[in-house]
Amino acid sequence: METARIHRVGTVTTGIVFIAFGVMFILHLFVNVISYDVIFKLWPLILVGLGVEVLLSNLRPDKLVYDKGAIVLMFILAFFAMGMAGADLMFQYLASGQLF
């Protein structure tokens, strides 16, 4: 008896997004080669990655299941990281005496 392989859409994109955003935040913290503004503007890549994964998985004959938990976790952590970066940016402005 052969079982059908199940592909969970969202897990690959979630892993890639975590790695990419983690690397960008590390680059900002230790090397300061990328600014928070650039990181904030790249969040639509999450949607593009999910769209590409959905399209590619529909071409395969495997059974398709959406990993809703991974997708929700990805958005929660991405927005949390952006909020923390925004708070850090705000503290930098306050420490230097500049106003928004």
Side-chain angles (χ1 to χ4, degrees):
M1 188 166 121
E2 199 174 306
T3 59
R5 179 177 149 88
I6 298 174
H7 177 73
R8 297 178 67 95
V9 174
T11 54
V12 174
T13 305
T14 302
I16 291 171
V17 165
F18 285 161
I19 291 169
F21 275 92
V23 167
M24 286 188 288
F25 281 117
I26 288 172
L27 285 174
H28 176 77
L29 288 175
F30 294 113
V31 187
N32 204 12
V33 294
I34 189 169
S35 69
Y36 284 135
D37 294 333
V38 173
I39 297 172
F40 292 156
K41 291 177 182 175
L42 291 178
W43 76 266
L45 290 178
I46 296 172
L47 300 175
V48 172
L50 280 174
V52 169
E53 189 175 356
V54 167
L55 289 175
L56 290 177
S57 64
N58 281 329
L59 298 175
R60 298 174 62 188
D62 302 337
K63 186 176 179 186
L64 181 69
V65 175
Y66 289 96
D67 193 356
K68 295 174 188 83
I71 293 170
V72 169
L73 179 65
M74 176 177 45
F75 279 105
I76 289 172
L77 287 177
F79 286 116
F80 175 75
M82 287 183 210
M84 293 303 292
D88 181 43
L89 191 62
M90 181 185 69
F91 288 132
Q92 287 177 3
Y93 278 118
L94 290 175
S96 65
Q98 296 177 355
L99 295 175
F100 292 101

